[in-house]
DNA sequence: AGGAGTCCGTTGCATATGCAACCATGGAGG
DNA sequence: CCTCCATGGTTGCATATGCAACGGACTCCT
């Protein structure tokens, strides 16, 4: 368990001893779930968030039509529900379900922000980590919105690829396959493929598999 | 100044005396800017965030083509740059410019999260407020992304309107005019108007000005 | 009254894109 | 070697939508 938490962004830069220590302040409230079991249910309030210790869980949304939309997948070490807890929502707009037998560590907002009686200085680090987590998600959503806000697939691709170039350099790999990229940019896979072909044809970009270059 | 801060989400639920007190811990670092002057410049690191005390500032992004995209407008009491600071970015992807003569209160991350020497308990409140701010923005972006991820304007409208209905009830007003709604949903104003007309025609919805109802 | 400005609906047209279907390639595993 | 499966490129077609232009209703100001 400590090894998992060391990889968790919420416990970033903490060693095993520090985590041991802070776990006592946090209450160490753990629970096991069976496959398919609901962890949070749409419509509930959100008094605590979770950290997945083992297994796999999914954030899902049930549509009016009865369908289920997969919002995101959570892997061991990841936190989920943090935004809802920090925003203090009284009605969860999504459900969280175990995709496998899973173990969850639950943390309450008060436990996170209160400087504990033990006056442990790691609290400050963990608060910083929580702020970082929310802020990074924010920037990620911001950038995605920025890409999608362009009306044509070509413009979406260009804004995305320019961003990747700025981060990784002249020749860069993208971490998504074609289908994932199409989903990410809210476009049809075949239409995206077509547009990529055209752009290569016109000499705007060059690519091979997942390696790209803007010309 | 205290009156402005009382309206600021970062100082939520604090009275004038508490704000006075916490300001001393925060350093009270203020600065005046003239119209057009840059407050943060694209490419800089982000060591501190700002709270607008008076005036107006804009978040802008310069495009490759030399154009300027207005990302968002900041009004007195609002914080800006918080996400970049909390995420610890070393390269700001946007610029912040004064749209009017403005006064800014600057706060550093360390000042926000460190329990101050004065051991003032308001720190905990402020940290909660910062978490809430980031989390709420998160949920806002999430919902917008959810609307936009639908491929047709009709579906975008439906998901948006259903959400508003869930929040406000059977008959609800939307806070955006047609042009703002079109921008928000990343659609063309005339196309959106056309689709609204069709939906009313088909008896799916009814509306008059900004008052809507789903049938 | 007249003029300017804002907001919103309407329409004709070109086209970008979703959709469905099919094929090619390459890797994994028997 | 063969089969199965995942990935991704291609294409025909219908249509949703961006774009540009215009007109009506309304407010505000002189």
């Amino acid at each position: 368990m400590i090894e998992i938490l060391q990889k968790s962004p919420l416990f970033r830069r903490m060693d095993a001893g520090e985590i041991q220590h802070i776990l006592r302040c946090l209450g160490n409230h753990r629970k096991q779930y069976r496959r398919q079991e609901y962890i949070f249910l749409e419509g509930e309030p959100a008094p605590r968030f979770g950290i997945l210790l083992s297994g796999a869980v999914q954030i899902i949304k049930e549509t009016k039509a009865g369908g289920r939309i997969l919002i995101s997948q959570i892997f061991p070490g990841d936190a989920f529900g943090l935004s809802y807890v920090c925003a203090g929502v009284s009605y969860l707009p999504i459900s969280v379900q175990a995709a496998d037998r899973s173990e969850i560590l639950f943390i309450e907002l008060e436990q996170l922000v209160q400087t504990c009686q033990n006056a442990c200085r790691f609290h400050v680090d963990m608060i910083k980590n929580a702020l970082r987590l929310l802020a990074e998600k924010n920037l990620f959503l911001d950038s995605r919105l920025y890409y999608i806000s362009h009306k044509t697939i070509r413009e979406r691709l260009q804004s995305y690829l320019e961003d990747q170039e700025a981060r990784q350099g002249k020749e860069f790999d993208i971490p998504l396959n074609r289908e994932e990229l199409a989903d990410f940019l809210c476009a049809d896979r075949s239409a995206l493929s077509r547009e990529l072909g055209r752009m290569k044809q016109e000499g705007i970009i060059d690519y091979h598999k997942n390696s790209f270059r803007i010309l």
Side-chain angles (χ1 to χ4, degrees), chain A:
Chain A
M1 163 168 176
I2 300 289
E3 308 82 63
I4 300 289
L5 293 182
Q6 279 187 283
K7 292 187 209 133
S8 170
L10 198 59
F11 295 90
R12 187 171 175 264
R13 292 181 200 266
M14 297 188 190
D15 66 32
E18 291 166 346
I19 293 177
Q20 287 275 11
H21 186 233
I22 208 166
L23 267 183
R24 281 197 292 277
C25 316
L26 293 178
N28 199 358
H29 167 29
R30 283 183 278 166
K31 190 167 168 201
Q32 301 260 0
Y33 288 85
R34 282 190 299 274
R35 188 174 153 79
Q36 308 270 6
E37 204 173 347
Y38 281 97
I39 298 159
F40 296 138
L41 206 55
E42 182 164 345
E44 290 178 349
R48 61 192 135 258
F49 65 96
I51 296 178
L52 180 60
L53 297 173
S54 68
V57 313
Q58 297 182 330
I59 316 279
I60 55 178
K61 189 175 180 82
E62 330 252 345
T63 65
K64 256 187 168 176
R68 297 158 58 89
I69 301 181
L70 176 62
I71 306 272
S72 69
Q73 304 232 34
I74 305 296
F75 298 103
D78 289 344
F80 58 89
L82 182 58
S83 291
Y84 301 108
V85 173
C86 291
V89 304
S90 54
Y91 187 103
L92 269 182
I94 49 87
S95 297
V96 181
Q97 191 182 30
D100 258 331
R101 159 176 280 276
S102 302
E103 186 177 18
I104 316 283
L105 170 67
F106 287 106
I107 301 177
E108 314 224 351
L109 180 59
E110 291 302 324
Q111 296 167 338
L112 176 67
V113 298
Q114 297 276 350
T115 305
C116 58
Q117 293 87 335
N118 316 351
C120 77
R121 62 188 174 76
F122 314 123
H123 248 94
V124 173
D125 291 333
M126 201 171 56
I127 289 169
K128 267 201 220 171
N129 287 340
L131 286 167
R132 170 184 289 266
L133 217 54
L134 291 172
E136 281 177 350
K137 174 137 182 245
N138 238 304
L139 300 184
F140 176 76
L141 292 173
D142 261 343
S143 62
R144 183 140 108 94
L145 256 170
Y146 176 69
Y147 309 142
I148 298 177
S149 70
H150 293 92
K151 295 178 204 78
T152 65
I153 292 185
R154 171 168 301 209
E155 288 170 323
R156 293 184 195 179
L157 275 168
Q158 283 173 330
S159 60
Y160 173 71
L161 293 175
E162 281 164 16
D163 227 16
Q164 292 300 310
E165 187 193 40
R167 284 172 210 217
Q168 303 185 42
K170 203 68 195 147
E171 185 154 4
F172 53 91
D173 285 0
I174 64 172
L176 307 170
N177 65 30
R178 294 292 186 274
E179 184 164 1
E180 290 165 339
L181 181 59
D183 280 351
F184 182 72
L185 296 180
C186 293
D188 181 72
R189 186 189 59 80
S190 75
L192 182 129
S193 191
R194 175 168 43 197
E195 197 59 39
L196 277 174
R198 275 204 274 256
M199 291 167 76
K200 186 194 259 189
Q201 181 76 24
E202 294 177 31
I204 300 178
I205 61 170
D206 194 21
Y207 62 88
H208 179 68
K209 302 227 182 197
N210 284 358
S211 167
F212 285 74
R213 167 185 275 273
I214 301 178
L215 303 174

